[in-house]
Amino acid sequence: MVYIKDILLATIAISGVLATPVVKRDTATPAASVSYAIPSYLTPVRPAPNPSYYVWPANNTDFVVESLEDFGKQEDPDNPLTIYRDGGGSCNIGNRTIWFFCDTLGYDNGTFKAMTDNSLSVAQSFDEPSLLADATSNSLYSYGWQPAVPYTSEEYPWRNWPSQRFMLWTYTNCFQTTDTQAVQFFHVFKSNSYTSTSNWGNTMAILNLDPNTNTLTISRNEQVTFPNTTYSYGSFASMVVNGVAFLYALDNTYSGGKDVHVARVATWQVTQYNKYQYYDASTKTWSYTQPQPTARRQSAAVMSNWIPYSTGSMFYSEYHNAYLLIYFDNWADSTFKVSYAPSPVGPWTCVM
């Protein structure tokens, strides 16, 4: 049986994206950084299991859903505006549970007041997962709200152009590098018009929490981390095993989101891109050479499905003694599915 305490949010991944020139990386200084005073709500953190890289045999593989509980709409009861949020993912850092959301809109008695392409909230209670404290969508600015993840100098001038804005969206959870630092990947989209959107790749947001002052700093070392000429590692799912971060990416360009590829890096080297290794399932080998695909590489993928993937959450389950992927398919049927594997690179078995 599957026991799920966390809320899983999903959104249909954007399609029909257009090619865009790659932005060169420069990690000498952050391309953007912002600090927030966040509420000091603490949520209990269960000690993370420490599994081996390979675990077997799997247990309790019947995988039936025993029950469902509706926690209701996630909202801040003290926010004077009515908030509508799209997509999102959560992040545990320093005994705080942080939620990132994609497009966030605020209304006052039915009148539109503000919007931003991403926002940040803090969970107030572990026992009431829908209870939030909005950290970045509770104050009005002359042009609306500031996004939780800061714009770079290339993106900032477009903030007032709804039809030509940059959009930083996340569909998955973060992973921790230390007790007070975590990494969250965001897709970088550029709206060229109301009907045309281009995919620039993804960007790494580095979260640093000062637990003494309840200050959260979010930094981006570059506008684009993994450009659209490769896979957006970390944007589909991620997990840490024995100090190594495994970062999963969809091939939306050539497989239509049906193939999943993976990279790995030690958590303390996550910003050192020459330390990343990329997996080829056809040869079962890792390489420091980043793929630059010009066609579908289905045999190199760690997962391949006839249904497009959309959003994913990956973790080790002690109950099942297996690595689990709980994901939302990219069809508009509100269906979550489960796959399990004995290692971060598979082989993955879809069971529901």
Side-chain angles (χ1 to χ4, degrees), residues 177 242-244 265-272:
T177 56
N242 297 326
V244 177
V265 66
T267 54
W268 61 91
Q269 296 175 322
V270 69
T271 60
Q272 301 177 40

Side-chain angles (χ1 to χ4, degrees), residues 34-348:
V34 66
S35 296
Y36 300 102
I38 64 171
S40 58
Y41 294 107
L42 302 182
T43 48
V45 177
R46 178 174 175 266
N50 188 28
S52 301
Y53 175 82
Y54 186 85
V55 292
W56 196 257
N59 301 323
N60 308 301
T61 56
D62 49 334
F63 287 97
V64 295
V65 177
E66 183 182 66
S67 63
L68 293 174
E69 183 175 352
D70 185 358
F71 292 112
K73 178 186 175 183
Q74 288 187 292
E75 60 184 350
D76 180 350
D78 295 323
N79 195 329
L81 298 180
T82 300
I83 307 298
Y84 296 94
R85 319 166 198 271
D86 181 29
S90 63
C91 184
N92 295 319
I93 178 174
N95 285 76
R96 280 83 168 165
T97 300
I98 294 170
W99 282 93
F100 285 104
F101 299 97
C102 301
D103 278 348
T104 305
L105 291 80
Y107 288 81
D108 183 9
N109 293 320
T111 301
F112 173 76
K113 288 295 184 180
M115 74 167 292
T116 184
D117 62 285
N118 63 77
S119 63
L120 182 155
S121 301
V122 178
Q124 293 193 34
S125 169
F126 180 80
D127 296 320
E128 297 181 73
S130 61
L131 191 60
L132 301 178
D134 293 328
T136 63
S137 56
N138 55 8
S139 298
L140 293 177
Y141 296 83
S142 59
Y143 61 89
W145 290 319
Q146 295 185 25
V149 180
Y151 288 139
T152 64
S153 58
E154 296 90 349
E155 298 158 353
Y156 185 80
W158 298 94
R159 69 195 186 282
N160 291 331
W161 294 75
S163 64
Q164 296 184 343
R165 62 190 173 116
F166 277 93
M167 299 164 290
L168 308 179
W169 291 345
T170 188
Y171 305 126
T172 187
N173 301 332
C174 76
F175 64 89
Q176 284 189 255
T177 56
T178 69
D179 289 342
T180 57
Q181 185 183 78
V183 168
Q184 183 106 13
F185 282 93
F186 288 75
H187 291 281
V188 180
F189 294 116
K190 174 66 167 61
S191 176
N192 305 309
S193 69
Y194 284 114
T195 59
S196 173
T197 301
S198 56
N199 173 18
W200 287 47
N202 73 358
T203 187
M204 179 194 301
I206 303 171
L207 285 61
N208 284 287
L209 175 70
D210 184 337
N212 297 316
T213 63
N214 290 309
T215 300
L216 180 69
T217 300
I218 303 177
S219 302
R220 297 167 61 194
N221 283 345
E222 62 281 311
Q223 184 185 19
V224 173
T225 304
F226 291 104
N228 59 9
T229 55
T230 185
Y231 306 119
S232 293
Y233 295 101
S235 288
F236 174 61
S238 61
M239 66 176 173
V240 175
V241 179
N242 297 326
V244 177
F246 291 86
L247 311 177
Y248 299 83
L250 296 180
D251 173 14
N252 287 313
T253 303
Y254 298 107
S255 77
K258 297 176 182 178
D259 296 345
V260 179
H261 297 267
V262 64
R264 71 180 182 185
V265 66
T267 54
W268 61 91
Q269 296 175 322
V270 69
T271 60
Q272 301 177 40
Y273 302 116
N274 62 337
K275 302 296 185 181
Y276 280 65
Q277 293 180 303
Y278 307 91
Y279 190 69
D280 187 330
S282 65
T283 59
K284 295 181 171 56
T285 57
W286 294 91
S287 170
Y288 286 101
T289 302
Q290 185 182 107
Q292 302 292 325
T294 58
R296 185 177 183 181
R297 301 171 59 247
Q298 185 174 5
S299 63
V302 291
M303 283 176 272
S304 189
N305 200 1
W306 67 279
I307 299 175
Y309 297 94
S310 179
T311 63
S313 180
M314 192 174 290
F315 56 94
Y316 169 74
S317 167
E318 293 175 294
Y319 178 76
H320 297 287
N321 190 39
Y323 293 99
L324 299 190
L325 168 66
I326 300 177
Y327 64 96
F328 190 68
D329 68 40
N330 205 18
W331 290 355
D333 57 2
S334 300
T335 300
F336 285 95
K337 298 181 180 294
V338 177
S339 294
Y340 72 95
S343 80
V345 297
W348 290 89

